[in-house]
Amino acid sequence: MKQAFMLVGFLIPFLSSNSQVKDVRNYVSYPVYTGRDLGLTYSAARSSFRIWAPTAEKVQLRLYAEGIGGEPLQEKEMKKDKDGTWSITLTGDQQGRFYAFSALIDGQWMAEVPDPYAKATGANGKRAMVIDLSSTNPQGWEHDGSPALPQATDAVIYELHVRDASIDAHSGIGQKGKFLGLAEKGTVNAAGLSTGLDHLKEMGVTHIHLLPFFDYNSIDETNPGKKYNWGYDPLNYNVPEGSYATDPYNGATRIKEFKQLVKALHENGMKVVMDVVYNHTGLTDNSNFNQLVPGYYYRQTADGKLSNATACGNETASERAMMRKFIIESMAYWVKEYHIDGFRVDLMGVHDITTMNLASRELNRIKPGILLYGEGWTAGSSPLPDSVRALKKNVSKLEKIAVFSDDIRDGVKGSVFEHEDKGFVSGKPGVEESVKFGIVASCPHPQVDYTKVNYSKSPYARQPFQTVTYAECHDNHTLWDKLAISAKDATEEQRKQMHKLALSIVLTSQGIPFLHAGTEFLRSKKGVENSYESPDSINAIEWDQKTMHKDVVDYVKGLITLRKAHPAFRMTSAAAIAANLHFLKTEPGLIVYTLNGSAVKDQWKKILVCFNGNAEQKTWPLQGVWQMAVKNNEFQKGSVKGELILVPNSCTILFQ
Ligand code: CA
């Protein structure tokens, strides 16, 4: 409630000058419904509907035989019920019926919409569908369980778009572009190398982070091949996207098929992270929220207009009771119904800290150790004060939630905003402290000079699990494309070494490593910086690239195996990192550090990690005899002593 108060306090000075702003104050005074039965409550004997529409004068429930088109079979007046809700119960088995609501507000009938709590819809999410969820469970669903993973820092996240995973002509996958495509086993590319699910399993990653797969607005589900979208334009938050289903018309199909995918990933040792976008809605004036409770779910600026911290036309108001409730219940629903193991929160900095913490507590109660992380920033200014928003700099106030580190991302490869800018791996001197900041997972460390870090001038993380370490994600150029643009004078072989060095840094740093799908075989989006609606020819994972760059695939696989085998690379506390990670050398383009393996029960007593980002060879004087793990971006065996040669743009990892 503190946040709502602060919002009101922030806007009160403007109330007298603008009548529209008065609504902002009124939103806080709207009745709050605390029951957990919003939406549909189904049984074979009856279906009960409850929606929250406190400003409505009347609300109609309309029943249809189809999800799109046709006339209503029935129109039912709903009963005004407690705390701003409207309710109605229909007797008999209503399963398969489609429905929508229309509210009379200020004497005007609003557009017909599904309620925000709808769990199933017809094609394109226009109408909700009465669903018996137990009928959507695949065989063995009651025994479906998530693989165990003791610590958040044990995670290796792999970010993937459902359609990209299989749509390539050479994916060897039958159900291209579908949930089921990613659940197929035994698929191979032209050279017989594994693709899709088997490839993910082969890589050894622990979490598959799927780009938005809730129902989004931009794709015509009845003609899904026509357009492409990442899906950051939410329509129905609690419904899987229909274009990924084999039948978008029957609301049960997408639910069942997505559960089949979750089950397949779990059976193959991987957890599932859902990319959620509660910060804005794809539609604005015509959104489901706005047709039922105009204005309430969104923040407004001082002049009464919609604020836009998302750069998508609106931003939701998580600090308002019913938006907060919606976010928390929606996430809890995905965990309970779909067995989701984690969430990546889009533009988390738009949300208030209290909402994120309440969500974290609720989700940890349902699934202890659930993985939560988000973008600790916004895409524009928000009327909600910085101090109460879930920004990167406030991560210490967040409970069991991590943020992406743009510090190491850009330290490694150069600014994502300045295309020509180089980073550590491409030979830019002076960014070593930004890389070191990432190596220690944004935690306090006596040997990091925070004044020289690119973005954060102090360690924002209190513990390593609060930092997600990455070199690239779906946004901006892929790492390979960024290197092609910024290091254009380098040969392809040199850029390959830079790429391997970047992934070496990501996978050996403390914190939680994060990989963008296909980076293990140098994924390119052909220079397209923002491919959110680019065709498959830009976005598809090209599975024959796996054959072309098998050496990089094997190297990345080796790094993941190394990380999983050695707790020294995933220490569980900032104190352990400060005590057991010691930088031996920091000079332009060169970082050398040791890890005290014995102290963290690693089978390697001492580990030496050397990163040479320079275009020139460097040497490092070894004390004593060391065993090789990685030498100059290759996994090697054998011992080494004396002067160690560090070739350009390379990683070397030795142990005793
Ligand atoms: Ca959709």
Side-chain angles (χ1 to χ4, degrees):
M1 289 297 103
K2 191 179 167 204
Q3 278 64 41
F5 257 88
M6 295 194 72
L7 180 71
V8 174
F10 183 70
L11 289 164
I12 273 174
F14 306 96
L15 286 179
S16 56
S17 61
N18 188 315
S19 62
Q20 277 181 288
V21 176
K22 243 163 53 183
D23 288 337
V24 175
R25 183 185 60 185
N26 286 343
Y27 294 142
V28 183
S29 71
Y30 283 12
V32 173
Y33 182 71
T34 55
R36 284 261 177 157
D37 62 342
L38 284 168
L40 167 72
T41 303
Y42 170 85
S43 76
R46 65 184 61 82
S47 289
S48 298
F49 304 83
R50 185 186 294 275
I51 65 160
W52 187 70
T55 54
E57 291 134 38
K58 285 182 181 178
V59 179
Q60 263 192 0
L61 167 68
R62 296 184 193 153
L63 294 155
Y64 292 86
E66 303 292 337
I68 295 182
E71 293 300 312
L73 300 170
Q74 293 179 66
E75 297 179 352
K76 301 266 189 188
E77 293 280 314
M78 295 182 79
K79 182 171 84 52
K80 195 167 174 58
D81 210 327
K82 62 181 174 183
D83 299 329
T85 64
W86 298 76
S87 65
I88 190 169
T89 295
L90 305 178
T91 54
D93 194 345
Q94 304 292 329
Q95 188 176 189
R97 280 278 168 85
F98 292 89
Y99 64 95
F101 302 93
S102 181
L104 182 71
I105 297 173
D106 291 336
Q108 196 181 340
W109 284 102
M110 306 294 280
E112 184 185 289
V113 288
D115 61 307
Y117 283 79
K119 294 183 171 95
T121 65
N124 292 332
K126 302 287 185 205
R127 292 175 191 150
M129 192 184 96
V130 177
I131 186 93
D132 174 5
L133 285 165
S134 66
S135 73
T136 64
N137 294 343
Q139 205 176 8
W141 184 244
E142 64 277 15
H143 303 300
D144 174 67
S146 307
L149 201 77
Q151 302 285 340
T153 43
D154 296 341
V156 179
I157 302 168
Y158 188 91
E159 182 202 41
L160 180 63
H161 185 278
V162 172
R163 182 179 172 95
D164 295 357
S166 57
I167 201 75
D168 175 34
H170 304 283
S171 69
I173 293 171
Q175 296 283 3
K176 289 185 172 58
K178 306 297 181 191
F179 290 132
L180 291 182
L182 193 49
E184 282 179 36
K185 291 176 189 150
T187 62
V188 292
N189 70 4
L193 300 177
S194 69
T195 62
L197 178 68
D198 284 4
H199 172 76
L200 304 180
K201 186 178 183 179
E202 180 193 330
M203 291 308 295
V205 293
T206 65
H207 287 70
I208 304 304
H209 155 164
L210 294 172
L211 261 68
F213 58 81
F214 51 77
D215 178 32
Y216 56 85
N217 189 52
S218 46
I219 298 296
D220 178 0
E221 296 175 359
T222 67
N223 190 3
K226 201 174 167 193
K227 276 166 75 180
Y228 174 96
N229 209 282
W230 283 342
Y232 291 92
D233 55 322
L235 186 59
N236 291 289
Y237 286 98
N238 293 349
V239 177
E241 163 60 17
S243 66
Y244 300 147
T246 56
D247 176 1
Y249 297 96
N250 181 343
T253 306
R254 58 180 80 184
I255 297 175
K256 187 170 186 176
E257 290 177 353
F258 180 65
K259 285 178 175 175
Q260 285 177 264
L261 171 56
V262 171
K263 188 164 174 280
L265 288 165
H266 283 169
E267 282 170 352
N268 286 279
M270 290 168 275
K271 290 174 181 265
V272 183
V273 173
M274 176 175 190
D275 198 339
V276 288
V277 188
Y278 296 108
N279 59 64
H280 78 283
T281 50
L283 300 172
T284 300
D285 293 341
N286 300 323
S287 73
N288 297 350
F289 284 149
N290 260 339
Q291 293 306 306
L292 295 172
V293 197
Y296 176 86
Y297 293 97
Y298 301 94
R299 288 191 192 127
Q300 288 79 15
T301 54
D303 61 2
K305 295 190 176 124
L306 286 172
S307 56
N308 186 21
T310 63
C312 294
N314 64 70
E315 82 184 79
T316 55
S318 57
E319 70 283 5
R320 287 184 200 148
M322 294 302 286
M323 185 66 208
R324 174 176 289 167
K325 175 182 166 70
F326 178 75
I327 292 172
I328 296 169
E329 288 184 22
S330 174
M331 293 170 100
Y333 170 69
W334 283 100
V335 176
K336 287 190 273 195
E337 186 61 36
Y338 290 94
H339 306 176
I340 293 296
D341 305 298
F343 294 94
R344 175 266 188 194
V345 183
D346 187 62
L347 296 182
M348 187 168 69
V350 171
H351 301 313
D352 68 295
I353 292 169
T354 302
T355 298
M356 290 312 304
N357 284 345
L358 290 171
S360 175
R361 281 178 220 167
E362 173 79 357
L363 299 171
N364 273 288
R365 190 183 59 72
I366 301 167
K367 190 171 260 198
I370 192 165
L371 191 64
L372 304 173
Y373 55 98
E375 292 181 302
W377 49 72
T378 66
S381 62
S382 171
L384 199 67
D386 275 11
S387 60
V388 299
R389 283 189 289 116
L391 294 165
K392 184 177 73 168
K393 65 182 178 187
N394 295 331
V395 72
S396 65
K397 298 181 197 168
L398 292 169
E399 298 174 12
K400 300 180 183 174
I401 301 172
V403 289
F404 284 96
S405 170
D406 52 343
D407 311 87
I408 189 164
R409 180 196 69 197
D410 290 3
V412 162
K413 69 173 180 184
S415 166
V416 296
F417 303 110
E418 296 166 46
H419 299 165
E420 311 275 318
D421 188 38
K422 292 182 182 181
F424 179 85
V425 303
S426 39
K428 182 182 180 180
V431 294
E432 298 76 28
E433 297 301 327
S434 303
V435 175
K436 285 166 66 183
F437 181 86
I439 290 170
V440 302
S442 332
C443 290
H445 191 284
Q447 291 178 291
V448 176
D449 183 349
Y450 295 92
T451 64
K452 292 182 183 160
V453 174
N454 48 6
Y455 305 137
S456 301
K457 303 302 178 190
S458 63
Y460 50 79
R462 287 201 180 148
Q463 298 298 347
F465 77 81
Q466 291 172 317
T467 292
V468 174
T469 308
Y470 70 129
E472 67 179 314
C473 67
H474 65 278
D475 280 318
N476 310 115
H477 290 116
T478 65
L479 175 60
W480 185 241
D481 286 349
K482 167 73 174 172
L483 292 171
I485 295 164
S486 59
K488 54 180 175 293
D489 296 335
T491 65
E492 184 171 323
E493 185 51 37
Q494 284 169 325
R495 284 187 279 115
K496 198 162 161 177
Q497 297 308 315
M498 295 171 189
H499 194 100
K500 286 170 92 172
L501 175 57
L503 297 183
S504 306
I505 295 171
V506 168
L507 285 164
T508 53
S509 287
Q510 305 297 321
I512 303 172
F514 172 105
L515 303 171
H516 184 45
T519 194
E520 66 275 28
F521 38 88
L522 312 179
R523 183 177 183 179
S524 169
K525 291 180 186 168
K526 303 177 176 67
V528 176
E529 185 194 6
N530 182 359
S531 68
Y532 80 100
E533 59 176 4
S534 298
D536 293 326
S537 58
I538 300 298
N539 281 299
I541 307 275
E542 295 178 342
W543 288 102
D544 283 343
Q545 293 292 312
K546 182 176 177 181
T547 313
M548 304 254 300
H549 305 293
K550 179 81 168 45
D551 55 330
V552 186
V553 174
D554 289 341
Y555 181 66
V556 176
K557 207 160 60 178
L559 288 170
I560 293 169
T561 304
L562 174 90
R563 183 180 185 88
K564 287 164 86 174
H566 294 282
F569 296 108
R570 42 191 173 84
M571 290 186 235
T572 56
S573 74
I577 294 170
N580 302 311
L581 191 157
H582 186 66
F583 291 100
L584 298 179
K585 186 80 177 177
T586 304
E587 64 171 52
L590 185 68
I591 298 171
V592 180
Y593 69 93
T594 58
L595 294 165
N596 180 353
S598 317
V600 293
K601 299 195 170 83
D602 200 298
Q603 68 196 53
W604 292 349
K605 289 185 168 45
K606 202 170 179 189
I607 301 170
L608 182 74
V609 182
C610 312
F611 298 136
N612 179 19
N614 292 291
E616 300 84 41
Q617 175 177 301
K618 295 280 173 179
T619 58
W620 180 254
L622 290 172
Q623 309 288 323
V625 180
W626 291 77
Q627 301 302 311
M628 286 189 279
V630 174
K631 188 143 181 286
N632 297 325
N633 295 342
E634 306 281 348
F635 276 87
Q636 293 191 31
K637 289 196 166 86
S639 61
V640 58
K641 62 179 179 177
E643 192 175 71
L644 181 67
I645 306 289
L646 306 171
V647 304
N649 318 105
S650 71
C651 163
T652 290
I653 303 171
L654 309 179
F655 64 93
Q656 289 181 327

